Amino acid sequence: MKQLSDEELVRLYVETQRNQYFEALYVRYCDKVYRKCLSFTKDPAKAEDFTHDIFLKLITKLGGFKEQAKFSTWLFSVTYNYCTDHTRVRRGGEVLAENMELLPDYGDSDEAEVAEMEAAGLRKAMDRLNADERSLLMMKYQDDFSIRDIADMSNITESAVKMRLKRAKDKLRKHYLEGIVMWLLLALKYITTKWPLRF
């Protein structure tokens, strides 16, 4: 089985309906699909449920795989669509301060701590994007999908993908900068309450 390509396994499964071919695909991609689901849900139990549902759905969808893209690209498209549909929630109107954790003491911060702060700020900014924007950015910058692959999966033009990516990046940058400003204001408030200015 290991010598068979994904596409060959799909063809063999569709033609014969023998479970061994589907199981080989499952073994190859289960962990990757789970990790992708976990990046959407942030909940291991829910990510397991999503993974299970995606592979159940895949059994019926494999006949529709036309080999216009690699199987892995097609599977991740199914995964993104499922996760996006099932995690889509209204995020507008959230107050950033409610999402901020207590500020840690960065008295002796080094570059690693600063990098961790920046990563945490980026995660919070990503969480403020809607599911479609998050999935688009993750496809492009985390999973290295090409603009063409994203366009094919989304049934839109490449220029539309580029425009949506630009808007999502701009929105991410805005949320990230808002987070930095909020952190600075909280830090300033902490400093002024601890050491009030005297004139």
Side-chain angles (χ1 to χ4, degrees):
M1 291 288 174
K2 289 183 180 179
Q3 71 278 10
L4 295 174
S5 72
D6 296 339
E7 292 74 19
E8 289 170 322
L9 286 171
V10 171
R11 268 185 252 122
L12 287 168
Y13 176 74
V14 170
E15 291 168 7
T16 66
Q17 295 296 302
R18 294 180 68 190
N19 286 339
Q20 65 189 34
Y21 302 120
F22 186 80
E23 287 169 8
L25 289 168
Y26 179 84
V27 168
R28 285 182 190 177
Y29 288 101
C30 179
D31 188 52
K32 292 175 183 173
V33 169
Y34 169 78
R35 282 186 276 126
K36 188 54 57 196
C37 292
L38 186 60
S39 73
F40 273 89
T41 65
K42 313 288 191 268
D43 175 355
K46 194 175 274 193
E48 282 181 31
D49 290 344
F50 278 24
T51 302
H52 178 73
D53 292 346
I54 288 165
F55 277 98
L56 282 176
K57 194 174 187 174
L58 204 59
I59 291 171
T60 60
K61 290 184 84 112
L62 276 179
F65 175 59
K66 303 297 184 207
E67 296 188 37
Q68 295 171 338
K70 292 189 311 187
F71 173 76
S72 57
T73 303
W74 182 78
L75 174 58
F76 288 131
S77 172
V78 170
T79 302
Y80 274 102
N81 289 336
Y82 184 89
C83 291
T84 300
D85 290 345
H86 287 80
T87 59
R88 191 172 277 143
V89 291
R90 178 137 169 60
R91 293 183 173 269
E94 289 180 359
V95 178
L96 184 61
E98 290 175 2
N99 295 329
M100 302 222 20
E101 300 165 6
L102 292 175
L103 293 174
D105 180 16
Y106 286 103
D108 296 318
S109 67
D110 59 9
E111 287 181 23
E113 288 173 326
V114 171
E116 180 57 36
M117 263 177 49
E118 289 173 355
L122 187 57
R123 279 192 299 274
K124 287 179 184 186
M126 280 289 282
D127 286 344
R128 294 192 65 206
L129 298 177
N130 69 42
D132 291 329
E133 293 162 337
R134 270 196 323 274
S135 65
L136 185 64
L137 289 172
M138 287 166 47
M139 278 190 272
K140 177 64 179 151
Y141 298 107
Q142 182 178 331
D143 297 325
D144 293 324
F145 283 22
S146 70
I147 297 290
R148 179 143 186 85
D149 287 341
I150 297 170
D152 291 344
M153 287 186 290
S154 307
N155 292 322
I156 57 176
T157 65
E158 290 182 39
S159 61
V161 170
K162 290 176 186 175
M163 182 54 71
R164 289 179 189 185
L165 269 171
K166 181 187 179 327
R167 287 181 184 148
K169 284 192 295 186
D170 289 347
K171 197 170 176 183
L172 179 66
R173 185 178 297 111
K174 176 181 176 271
H175 290 316
Y176 179 74
L177 292 174
E178 286 173 355
I180 291 173
V181 169
M182 182 61 75
W183 184 85
L184 289 172
L185 290 173
L186 290 173
L188 185 60
K189 182 177 180 182
Y190 173 78
I191 290 168
T192 55
T193 31
K194 190 154 178 106
W195 298 288
L197 295 173
R198 291 189 173 93
F199 294 98

